[in-house]
């Protein structure tokens, strides 16, 4: 655990929010992990009434549909987003108001969206200061290096971000619309054909189709995290024996799901070209081609692999082999893939980096406080953000 620097008795520890397509991570600066990880989904009925999903409940409310707080990584309904944030502050963290707010931002947030968020935070949620920091940059603070190539395999996207001297090289950023959830959905499609019940919800037949699928996918994710794995070479070199190479997984109703070659087949989508993504090997090459040749060597020697999909068994070893086989610009023999030893830390790497940043002795100098906002408006944040 880090120890946040305290100026005086009135010091309040910054609260860090990271909004992802699948989960939202929230907690306090100086700690070694988020306090809570909540679904980024809400429940809404036809009259606009909202409920929050009870993760451990086997019953869900009837007449509600699932609605995500983000669309394509962007906040589009600010009223829903504000209610979501206030629910976390009031009912999960029991947080007093007028506190520092740290916003972990993904790389495609629009300036207009950022300004609207700042206005709501100061005028409606009542924070004392705000700070925005790009998510992929935060991973460099964990490894303590200024020159890194961050490969973030998240739920909905895979992003490659080159960082030199602590600054993101915008022209080298690669963003592909494929991630762990793409694999989840593919597994769900094939396993659903077996006609087995996935959901743990006991009132499943009474729920809306979107809530039924939400319950199904939660179980599929659990199976994927336990069983999916990558082979250390392309799957076409594997020979499966269905009578031997299988695994029986017990579903919530105690029926058995027989898992075979799909536990290897579908994680391969991270490496195979599709209509959404050209594959990790080609994406890496595309990113490096846009970087000055003088810096490619150091970046290839400092590849940082993070994100939930990076926790797939054999992912690090396979990615290292992929880089070596590419012989990128003659640098492959010197390549080095680094990652965090704990799966929890890989999943929450950006949040952990934010925890380090917000614990700095000079953190207050980087923030936009209420008096700054009143005098200059939300646009001042552009001069204070770390890019």
């Amino acid at each position: 655990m880090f120890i946040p620097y305290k100026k005086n008795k009135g010091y309040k520890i910054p609260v860090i929010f990271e909004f992802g397509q699948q989960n939202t991570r929230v907690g306090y600066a100086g700690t070694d992990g988020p306090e809570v990880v909540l679904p980024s989904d809400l429940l809404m009925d036809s009259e606009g009434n909202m409920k929050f999903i009870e993760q451990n409940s086997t019953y869900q409310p009837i007449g509600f549909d699932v609605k995500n707080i983000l669309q394509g990584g962007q906040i589009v309904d600010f009223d829903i987003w504000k209610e979501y944030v206030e629910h976390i502050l009031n009912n999960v963290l029991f947080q007093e108001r007028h506190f520092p707010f740290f916003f972990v931002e993904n790389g495609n947030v629009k300036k207009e969206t950022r300004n609207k968020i700042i206005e709501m935070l100061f005028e409606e949620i009542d924070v004392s200061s705000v700070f925005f920091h790009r998510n992929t940059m935060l991973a460099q603070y964990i490894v303590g290096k200024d020159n890194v190539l961050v490969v973030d395999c998240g739920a909905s996207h895979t992003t490659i971000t080159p960082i030199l001297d602590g600054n993101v090289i915008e022209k080298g950023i690669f963003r592909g619309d494929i991630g762990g959830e793409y694999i989840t959905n593919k597994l769900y499609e094939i396993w659903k054909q077996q006609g087995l019940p996935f959901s743990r919800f006991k009132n499943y037949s009474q729920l809306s189709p979107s809530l039924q699928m939400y319950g199904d996918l939660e179980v599929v994710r659990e199976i994927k995290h336990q069983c999916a794995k990558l082979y250390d070479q392309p799957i076409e070199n594997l020979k499966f024996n269905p009578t031997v190479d299988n695994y029986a997984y017990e579903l919530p109703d105690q029926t058995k799901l027989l898992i075979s070659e799909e536990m290897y087949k579908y994680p391969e989508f991270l490496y195979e070209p599709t209509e959404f993504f050209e594959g990790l090997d080609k994406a890496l090459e595309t990113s490096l081609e846009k970087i000055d040749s003088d810096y490619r060597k150091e970046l290839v020697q400092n590849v940082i692999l993070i994100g939930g999909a990076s926790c797939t068994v054999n992912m690090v070893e396979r990615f290292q082999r992929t880089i070596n086989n590419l012989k990128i610009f003659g640098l492959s023999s010197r390549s080095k893939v680094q990652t965090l030893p704990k799966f929890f830390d890989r999943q929450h790497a950006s949040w952990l980096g934010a925890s380090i940043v917000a614990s700095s002795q000079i953190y207050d100098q980087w923030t936009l406080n209420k008096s700054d906002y009143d005098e200059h408006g939300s646009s001042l944040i552009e001069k204070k953000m770390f890019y």
Side-chain angles (χ1 to χ4, degrees):
M1 176 179 289
F2 314 109
I3 306 298
Y5 173 71
K6 297 186 178 182
K7 284 187 174 182
N8 51 53
K9 292 182 178 179
Y11 172 85
K12 290 188 177 181
I13 299 175
V15 180
I16 303 167
F17 276 77
E18 182 181 12
F19 301 94
Q21 194 70 40
Q22 184 178 333
N23 293 313
T24 294
R25 304 168 181 88
V26 188
Y28 296 99
T31 59
D32 51 10
E35 188 83 5
V36 291
V37 180
L38 301 171
S40 295
D41 293 301
L42 301 166
L43 300 179
M44 182 173 290
D45 66 11
S46 57
E47 297 179 356
N49 298 313
M50 291 174 49
K51 287 181 178 290
F52 293 86
I53 297 174
E54 296 183 22
Q55 292 176 274
N56 299 320
S57 176
T58 55
Y59 288 90
Q60 294 296 331
I62 299 169
F64 282 79
D65 286 304
V66 178
K67 183 178 180 65
N68 197 280
I69 62 170
L70 304 178
Q71 289 184 16
Q74 297 280 343
I75 300 168
V76 292
D77 191 323
F78 287 93
D79 291 333
I80 290 177
W81 177 81
K82 176 194 156 191
E83 189 165 345
Y84 182 80
V85 171
E86 288 185 327
H87 166 76
I88 294 173
L89 294 174
N90 296 335
N91 304 314
V92 180
L93 297 183
F94 305 102
Q95 174 67 40
E96 296 181 2
R97 297 310 169 90
H98 210 64
F99 63 93
F101 191 105
F102 190 119
F103 190 104
V104 178
E105 179 183 291
N106 65 47
N108 66 337
V109 170
K110 298 176 182 177
K111 179 179 179 180
E112 297 78 14
T113 299
R114 188 183 302 121
N115 289 342
K116 179 65 175 177
I117 292 170
I118 293 171
E119 291 173 10
M120 296 192 79
L121 288 173
F122 278 122
E123 297 179 11
E124 301 185 43
I125 296 178
D126 187 25
V127 302
S128 60
S129 66
V130 297
F131 184 65
F132 284 66
H133 199 303
R134 182 175 286 187
N135 55 358
T136 49
M137 283 188 68
L138 290 163
Q140 69 176 316
Y141 302 120
I142 301 175
V143 297
K145 296 182 177 181
D146 289 333
N147 299 325
V148 294
L149 188 68
V150 180
V151 181
D152 186 354
C153 299
S156 58
H157 295 86
T158 294
T159 306
I160 299 176
T161 307
I163 300 173
L164 293 171
D165 297 326
N167 298 304
V168 170
I169 308 303
E170 297 287 344
K171 64 181 181 180
I173 294 176
F174 178 93
R175 182 178 173 87
D177 294 331
I178 192 170
E181 281 301 275
Y182 185 82
I183 299 170
T184 300
N185 289 323
K186 287 295 183 180
L187 290 171
Y188 178 63
E189 288 175 12
I190 187 171
W191 288 338
K192 194 65 174 176
Q193 293 175 9
Q194 298 188 29
L196 299 176
F198 281 90
S199 181
R200 62 174 59 86
F201 300 150
K202 294 183 178 179
N203 60 338
Y204 183 85
S205 62
Q206 299 174 286
L207 302 177
S208 67
S210 64
L211 193 44
Q212 287 179 344
M213 177 166 282
Y214 177 88
D216 290 350
L217 291 176
E218 281 292 289
V219 175
V220 173
R221 289 186 193 104
E222 290 181 10
I223 302 172
K224 181 186 73 172
H225 292 157
Q226 292 184 39
C227 303
K229 57 188 71 176
L230 282 159
Y231 197 51
D232 62 359
Q233 57 182 294
I235 196 170
E236 57 264 23
N237 298 330
L238 278 176
K239 294 182 179 180
F240 287 96
N241 183 343
T243 60
V244 177
D245 300 320
N246 61 63
Y247 176 78
Y249 186 92
E250 187 174 286
L251 295 171
D253 70 342
Q254 298 185 329
T255 56
K256 302 290 185 180
L257 171 67
L258 191 63
I259 303 171
S260 185
E261 62 180 299
E262 64 269 22
M263 65 184 174
Y264 285 101
K265 179 180 178 181
Y266 288 101
E268 286 290 323
F269 279 113
L270 293 171
Y271 290 90
E272 294 178 355
T274 68
E275 59 181 312
F276 310 107
F277 186 54
E278 57 189 53
L280 269 175
D281 48 0
K282 182 62 178 176
L284 188 68
E285 192 169 356
T286 299
S287 176
L288 286 170
E289 282 177 342
K290 298 176 181 178
I291 302 299
D292 189 293
S293 58
D294 293 340
Y295 299 106
R296 291 172 185 164
K297 175 181 176 182
E298 186 161 10
L299 289 178
V300 169
Q301 290 175 336
N302 293 283
V303 179
I304 310 299
L305 185 62
I306 60 171
S310 74
C311 299
T312 305
V313 175
N314 291 334
M315 176 65 170
V316 178
E317 295 81 359
R318 174 65 179 278
F319 193 50
Q320 180 70 67
R321 181 186 290 267
T322 297
I323 296 177
N324 292 344
N325 290 342
L326 275 177
K327 297 183 171 65
I328 302 174
F329 315 113
L331 300 173
S332 60
S333 62
R334 306 182 187 93
S335 66
K336 176 64 177 177
V337 176
Q338 305 172 59
T339 191
L340 304 173
K342 296 180 181 179
F343 284 178
F344 177 89
D345 293 346
R346 291 190 214 172
Q347 291 174 312
H348 308 305
S350 296
W351 193 97
L352 292 170
S355 182
I356 296 172
V357 171
S359 303
S360 169
Q361 294 186 10
I362 58 174
Y363 173 72
D364 288 346
Q365 298 177 23
W366 302 330
T367 64
L368 175 68
N369 59 41
K370 185 62 165 63
S371 59
D372 291 335
Y373 170 75
D374 290 339
E375 183 177 354
H376 302 285
S378 56
S379 61
L380 185 61
I381 196 69
E382 304 296 326
K383 297 180 179 180
K384 290 178 172 283
M385 278 189 66
F386 285 5
Y387 289 99

